[in-house]
């Protein structure tokens, strides 16, 4: 008999925790889940049947914040209190957006610096993270209302070109909204997943994702290989989208009915009407041939052909971006096996046919283009919730990868959350004179000491030609290929000797284990830092002791008796503290030894220079 859990506090049936997928868009945002009965992704809709929440905030008098359609109503009548396109500001400084400052009708603070932008509404200041969190909070509340269950875990999508700062800002916004963000997923990856692309283990495919939204255009070329999404190239225009179509229509009508640009600026209600009617016309013309309405007592009309003429220059620009993306990916059109349409503006027939012509292939358009990203995020969320055990979707490394350096410290080469595939190389050197081999131990984890991390592999680079310590240049490179397999290569640059091992880093770790390792790194962060400082002090002490004894062996004769005694004493003291002292004591002892040796080291230097000068004949 199946057991049913009942929440004692509320008396309601306890459901397994739901992880939702969220498309946090520039124009619209929405939430999707995997339906518990059908196991199919579905978007969450309000009673009015609308899933899309305009990504717009209106700060009303009295401190009330409206989100979505209610806020959109104030876009033109209260531009200073109504914030749109927050996504464009995520992780940006004022300098980043300076060229577009006229685009924002609300107040973006120009602080002339590289620090992150702030938005001023009334006498309050908001960061883009806070503003995004208000949208996410609204989505969370709506989802809880529709699902009648708490929603605390989510997957949120971002454009493929988002950098670390922008991804982190999105994550922070989620946290601020009370969401545990299990993963940040690329929008084109999510869209592909919604079409089931990339869900088969042995599938290898190259696909193009064409995303034309309200204000932005993105083209991404992806290679899917066994559940791993590799971004081959991205291109686009962050100020090109359906809004441009609306603007073009509104301007055309304004011209026809004799409304000047100045009047459009001063008469906000007319401007508002023109823009909203223009958008309605555009949407109507996606399925009809003719549109007609009345604005300020004047008849306005638009045919599909007229509209296409207005839209063509913008559509052509997207095609140029597509060509550039193909060039950057180093691919010919024939290499593209699937094309996916994303974004509300791909409903425009001209857009669809242009994409089809360019890629010479019928694009996927069966899923609603403005819902497809959220639906794919739900697919990913379900996999992360553990409901779909067959897949291990990896487009980032869940834990850091690095090697052991002196004193058992972890030196991270590939930080966690790095994109796959990824390649990093760093140079190391030997500790001892004449050292002919080097042990390379590869670890995975977030702790500062390798003993607390997971060892993945160990090998020896042998045959390093005899050289003084510090002279050999050993380059260690980590290459994680699209299969998630790590290749570690060690190469001594001067002699060319090299060695390679193959490691499978991610496999064998469950999500819980990964989570635990991350948690441990947080709880132990303080003690780890202390240990790292001590180990580094000890390493420095060992090096200076070695250098000093080497120096004494070679140049001992230039020291006075007093200098010799003082040096010996300082060395013994440092040796003792290196074994038993704390990091500050070690540093003080190092400083002392340095002070004693500086005068004779300088003397030797002068001597060397004057000898060199003597030898020179002019
Ligand atoms: P974003 O990804 O930027 O948040 P969406 O994917 O939701 O945006 O796309 C919004 C844009 O799609 C708007 O410009 C809207 O007018 C446009 N759009 C929505 N439906 C249609 C339609 N049927 N025909 C043409 N454009 C549409
Ligand atoms: Mg979008």
């Amino acid at each position: 008999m199946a057991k049913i859990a009942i929440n004692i506090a509320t008396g309601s049936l306890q459901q397994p925790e739901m992880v939702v997928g969220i498309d946090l868009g520039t124009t619209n945002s929405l939430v999707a889940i995997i339906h518990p009965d059908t196991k199919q992704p579905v978007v969450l809709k309000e009673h009015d049947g609308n899933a899309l929440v305009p990504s717009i905030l209106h700060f009303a008098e009295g401190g009330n914040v409206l989100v979505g359609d209610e806020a959109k109503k104030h876009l033109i009548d209260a531009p200073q209190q109504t914030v749109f396109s927050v996504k464009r500001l995520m992780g940006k400084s004022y300098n980043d957006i300076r060229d577009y400052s006229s685009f924002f009708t609300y107040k973006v603070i120009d602080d002339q610096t590289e620090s992150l932008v702030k938005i001023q509404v009334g006498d309050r200041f908001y960061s883009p993270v806070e503003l995004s969190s208000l949208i996410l909070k609204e989505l969370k509340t709506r989802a809880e209302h529709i699902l009648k269950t708490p929603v605390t875990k989510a997957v949120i999508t971002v454009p493929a070109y988002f950098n670390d700062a922008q991804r982190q800002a999105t994550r922070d916004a989620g946290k601020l909204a009370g969401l545990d963000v299990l993963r940040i997923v690329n929008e084109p990856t999510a869209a592909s997943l919604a079409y089931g692309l990339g869900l088969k283990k042995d599938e290898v495919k190259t696909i193009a994702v064409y995303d034309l939204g309200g204000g932005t255009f993105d083209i991404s070329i992806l290679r899917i290989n066994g559940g791993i999404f590799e971004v081959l190239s991205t291109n686009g225009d962050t100020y090109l989208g359906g809004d441009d179509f609306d603007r073009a229509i509104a301007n055309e009508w304004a011209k026809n009915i004799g409304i000047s640009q100045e009047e459009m600026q001063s008469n906000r209600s007319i401007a508002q009407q023109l823009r909203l009617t223009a958008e309605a016309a555009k949407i109507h013309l996606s399925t009809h041939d003719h549109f007609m309405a009345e604005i300020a007592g004047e008849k306005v009309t638009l045919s599909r052909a007229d509209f296409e003429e207005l839209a063509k220059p913008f559509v052509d620009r997207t095609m140029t971006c597509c060509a550039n993306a193909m060039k950057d990916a180093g691919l010919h059109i024939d290499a593209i096996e699937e094309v996916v349409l994303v974004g509300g503006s791909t409903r425009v027939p001209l857009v669809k046919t242009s994409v089809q012509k360019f890629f010479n292939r019928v694009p996927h358009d069966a899923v609603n283009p403005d819902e497809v990203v959220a639906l794919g995020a739900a697919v990913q969320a379900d996999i992360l919730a553990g409901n779909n055990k067959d897949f291990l979707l990896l487009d980032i490394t869940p834990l850091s990868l690095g090697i052991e350096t002196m004193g058992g410290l972890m030196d991270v080469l590939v930080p966690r959350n790095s994109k796959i595939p990824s390649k990093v190389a760093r140079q190391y050197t030997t500790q001892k004179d004449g050292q002919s081999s080097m042990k390379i131990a590869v670890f995975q984890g977030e702790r500062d000491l390798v003993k607390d991390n997971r060892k993945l592999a160990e090998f020896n680079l042998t045959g390093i030609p005899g050289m003084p310590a510090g002279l050999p240049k050993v380059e260690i490179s980590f290459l994680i290929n699209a299969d998630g397999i790590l290749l570690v290569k060690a190469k001594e640059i001067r002699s060319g000797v090299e060695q390679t091992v193959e490691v499978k880093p991610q496999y064998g770790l469950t999500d819980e284990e990964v989570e635990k390792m991350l948690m441990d790194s947080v709880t132990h962060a303080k003690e780890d830092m202390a240990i790292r400082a001590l180990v580094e002090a000890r390493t420095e002490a060992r090096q200076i002791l070695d250098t000093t004894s080497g120096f004494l062996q070679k140049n001992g004769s230039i020291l006075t008796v007093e200098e010799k005694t003082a040096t010996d004493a300082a060395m013994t003291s440092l040796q003792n503290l290196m074994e038993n002292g704390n990091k500050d004591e070690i540093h003080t002892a190092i400083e002392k030894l340095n002070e004693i040796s500086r005068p004779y080291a300088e003397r030797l230097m002068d001597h060397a220079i004057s000898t060199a000068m003597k030898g020179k004949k002019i």
Side-chain angles (χ1 to χ4, degrees):
M1 205 178 81
K3 283 189 193 156
I4 297 169
I6 295 178
N7 182 329
I8 300 180
T10 62
S12 64
L13 293 183
Q14 199 106 324
Q15 288 175 319
E17 201 163 16
M18 174 84 65
V19 184
V20 300
I22 299 180
D23 173 4
L24 182 61
T26 310
T27 318
N28 295 304
S29 299
L30 67 159
V31 183
I33 59 158
I34 297 296
H35 195 283
D37 301 333
T38 65
K39 308 289 176 216
Q40 293 302 310
V42 288
V43 296
L44 297 181
K45 289 184 176 161
E46 294 282 357
H47 292 305
D48 60 7
N50 206 354
L52 302 186
V53 178
S55 309
I56 303 176
L57 296 156
H58 174 68
F59 295 83
E61 299 289 329
N64 221 1
V65 186
L66 304 176
V67 184
D69 285 310
E70 288 308 307
K72 190 174 180 178
K73 288 180 186 156
H74 299 284
L75 209 49
I76 301 209
D77 71 42
Q80 308 261 336
Q81 284 78 39
T82 311
V83 179
F84 61 93
S85 280
V86 175
K87 190 173 175 178
R88 295 177 192 283
L89 301 174
M90 291 291 264
K92 297 275 168 116
S93 71
Y94 190 84
N95 286 344
D96 291 331
I97 55 143
R98 180 177 305 282
D99 293 347
Y100 299 97
S101 54
S102 64
F103 171 89
F104 301 96
T105 47
Y106 46 92
K107 192 160 182 192
V108 182
I109 303 296
D110 177 6
D111 58 359
Q112 305 279 338
T113 68
E114 288 295 339
S115 59
L116 297 179
V117 292
K118 287 263 182 196
I119 288 99
Q120 184 176 9
V121 182
D123 51 9
R124 283 207 54 185
F125 295 89
Y126 300 90
S127 67
V129 169
E130 284 172 288
L131 295 167
S132 293
S133 85
L134 292 173
I135 296 171
L136 288 169
K137 215 178 270 172
E138 174 73 17
L139 295 174
K140 176 178 186 291
T141 309
R142 285 186 191 208
E144 288 174 337
H145 184 238
I146 295 166
L147 295 169
K148 304 199 172 26
T149 177
V151 170
T152 57
K153 295 190 168 152
V155 165
I156 304 179
T157 58
V158 297
Y161 63 78
F162 256 30
N163 64 23
D164 272 353
Q166 292 167 300
R167 283 165 200 266
Q168 195 53 48
T170 307
R171 217 173 242 288
D172 291 347
K175 208 185 287 168
L176 211 54
L179 291 168
D180 177 9
V181 182
L182 299 190
R183 192 166 289 183
I184 296 288
V185 178
N186 286 338
E187 286 162 13
T189 301
S192 311
L193 287 175
Y195 278 104
L197 297 167
L199 284 177
K200 283 194 225 85
K201 273 209 171 99
D202 44 10
E203 188 176 33
V204 183
K205 247 183 191 155
T206 307
I207 63 176
V209 181
Y210 178 104
D211 181 349
L212 190 61
T216 59
F217 170 63
D218 299 313
I219 172 76
S220 313
I221 311 297
L222 308 178
R223 176 162 295 140
I224 304 174
N225 189 347
I228 293 161
F229 287 78
E230 179 189 355
V231 181
L232 297 182
S233 70
T234 63
N235 208 293
D237 188 329
T238 47
Y239 289 86
L240 174 62
D243 297 347
D244 292 303
F245 300 163
D246 305 349
R247 218 170 288 133
I249 298 170
N251 288 341
E252 179 72 11
W253 282 344
K255 205 169 68 194
N256 293 347
I257 59 179
I259 297 172
S260 68
Q261 283 298 320
E262 293 74 53
E263 204 172 336
M264 288 266 274
Q265 292 288 327
S266 57
N267 190 339
R268 292 226 160 104
S269 129
I270 281 276
Q272 166 105 323
Q273 260 191 60
L274 269 168
R275 285 295 291 280
L276 291 179
T277 316
E279 184 177 9
K282 171 187 75 176
I283 291 173
H284 182 81
L285 291 173
S286 287
T287 44
H288 299 80
D289 285 330
H290 210 80
F291 177 85
M292 205 166 23
E294 220 172 79
I295 294 172
E298 300 272 355
K299 213 175 96 182
V300 290
T301 64
L302 196 70
S303 69
R304 163 104 49 106
D306 294 337
F307 169 62
E308 292 189 343
E309 204 170 304
L310 292 173
K312 189 166 183 302
F314 300 108
V315 178
D316 287 347
R317 270 166 65 192
T318 69
M319 293 305 143
T320 310
C321 295
C322 290
N324 289 335
M326 292 303 295
K327 205 162 84 199
D328 289 347
L331 292 177
H332 186 257
I333 298 290
D334 297 345
I336 301 295
E337 293 159 281
E338 313 268 356
V339 180
V340 175
L341 291 180
V342 183
S345 302
T346 60
R347 285 216 178 85
V348 172
L350 174 69
V351 172
K352 242 181 240 195
T353 52
S354 305
V355 174
Q356 176 162 345
K357 224 186 271 161
F358 181 89
F359 287 104
N360 197 17
R361 184 169 293 278
V362 181
H364 290 278
D365 66 350
V367 180
N368 276 342
D370 33 26
E371 296 179 353
V372 66
V373 167
L375 291 168
V379 172
Q380 170 80 70
D382 195 49
I383 294 169
L384 290 174
N387 298 333
N388 204 336
K389 291 251 184 263
D390 292 349
F391 306 112
L392 182 74
L393 275 181
L394 283 170
D395 45 10
I396 51 166
T397 56
L399 293 166
S400 303
L401 297 165
I403 63 163
E404 175 177 358
T405 52
M406 264 231 261
L409 287 180
M410 172 88 173
D411 195 32
V412 172
L413 277 100
V414 181
R416 75 187 208 87
N417 283 343
S418 294
K419 262 199 226 149
I420 293 176
S422 135
K423 186 174 188 220
V424 189
R426 196 172 290 167
Q427 282 192 5
Y428 297 88
T429 188
T430 48
Q431 299 174 23
K432 295 202 182 75
D433 288 339
Q435 186 177 332
S436 66
S437 79
M438 199 170 188
K439 183 188 87 177
I440 288 126
V442 183
F443 287 83
Q444 177 181 40
E446 308 313 307
R447 302 286 299 275
D448 278 6
L449 291 181
V450 292
K451 73 171 176 52
D452 299 318
N453 291 330
R454 224 173 100 103
K455 189 191 251 185
L456 298 175
E458 183 179 311
F459 64 101
N460 271 309
L461 175 67
T462 53
I464 303 174
M467 279 182 256
L471 218 53
K473 283 194 183 139
V474 178
E475 184 181 83
I476 311 245
S477 55
F478 276 34
L479 173 81
I480 310 176
N481 69 14
D483 299 327
I485 292 170
L486 170 69
L487 273 180
V488 181
K489 193 163 97 177
K491 179 177 184 179
E492 203 288 305
I493 307 237
R494 291 170 198 274
S495 59
V497 285
E498 64 172 71
Q499 192 94 14
T500 306
V501 289
E502 189 177 283
V503 203
K504 275 193 180 175
Q506 286 86 3
Y507 302 107
L509 276 186
T510 62
D511 279 350
E512 288 74 40
E513 285 172 297
V514 170
E515 200 118 319
K516 181 170 179 310
M517 290 175 84
L518 293 178
M519 277 313 293
D520 282 352
S521 75
V522 176
T523 35
H524 295 287
K526 246 192 159 148
E527 54 179 281
D528 273 12
M529 247 157 68
I531 296 175
R532 176 179 280 272
L534 180 61
V535 171
E536 280 171 355
R538 282 184 181 158
T539 305
E540 198 185 333
R542 164 101 332 262
Q543 276 164 350
I544 192 156
L545 284 172
D546 286 352
T547 326
T548 315
S549 26
F551 181 90
L552 291 183
Q553 252 170 30
K554 262 205 234 144
N555 312 298
S557 56
I558 70 156
L559 268 65
T560 65
V561 182
E562 292 78 37
E563 280 171 342
K564 178 89 180 67
T565 327
T567 306
D568 283 346
M571 282 178 76
T572 314
S573 152
L574 178 56
Q575 178 76 42
N576 282 335
L577 286 169
M578 186 178 78
E579 281 149 29
N580 309 310
N582 66 31
K583 76 161 194 328
D584 293 329
E585 291 167 333
I586 299 175
H587 278 304
T588 315
I590 289 174
E591 208 26 59
K592 197 141 167 222
L593 178 57
N594 269 334
E595 257 165 50
I596 294 169
S597 59
R598 197 169 298 126
Y600 54 77
E602 276 168 11
R603 227 161 51 225
L604 182 75
M605 210 66 127
D606 293 345
H607 176 72
I609 291 170
S610 63
T611 321
M613 294 294 281
K614 258 184 227 154
K616 252 193 192 141
K617 299 227 163 59
I618 302 173

